[in-house]
Amino acid sequence: MVSIVGQTLENQIESLQGYGCNKILKEKQSGAKSNRIALHGALEYLREGDKLIVTKIDRFARSVKNLHNVASQLEDNGIGLVFLKEQIDFSTPSGK
């Protein structure tokens, strides 16, 4: 996800492909917005045992509270959450 329409997703896509992602959803919208179609689509698509891989935390969450809520929802559904730049994997003991 990028914040400004003129920005490119290329570097983020390369990072996700390098991690081994097989489905990449793209969105050019601010992380501060709540009506994010690609994010909502990803959350509906994911199933138990899947992982949601995000390039950077600021591309994902509007606030720490929002991050906590979504991360908890994913965990409750057996879905992992990984942030590449920060090297945080919420599905591991150290990530939790």
Side-chain angles (χ1 to χ4, degrees), residues 3-96:
S3 299
I4 299 171
V5 175
Q7 290 180 335
T8 178
L9 294 167
E10 188 175 309
N11 290 339
Q12 293 177 51
I13 292 170
E14 287 176 11
S15 294
L16 295 168
Q17 289 172 334
Y19 189 82
C21 295
N22 56 15
K23 182 169 181 83
I24 297 174
L25 300 174
K26 305 167 199 164
E27 187 168 81
K28 288 191 174 189
Q29 208 172 134
S30 172
K33 297 195 179 206
S34 61
N35 186 23
R36 296 167 56 198
I37 295 168
L39 176 58
H40 293 295
L43 296 176
E44 289 179 14
Y45 175 83
L46 294 164
R47 299 293 178 253
E48 186 174 353
D50 288 345
K51 281 189 179 182
L52 176 61
I53 313 301
V54 182
T55 54
K56 296 177 8 181
I57 288 177
D58 69 347
R59 301 290 90 210
F60 178 74
R62 300 184 324 257
S63 64
V64 173
K65 182 178 180 179
N66 176 243
L67 172 62
H68 173 73
N69 290 341
V70 177
S72 295
Q73 175 188 354
L74 291 170
E75 182 179 20
D76 290 347
N77 292 320
I79 299 166
L81 177 60
V82 176
F83 294 104
L84 297 179
K85 182 178 182 197
E86 294 82 6
Q87 298 181 358
I88 300 170
D89 183 342
F90 278 71
S91 65
T92 66
S94 62
K96 292 178 183 181

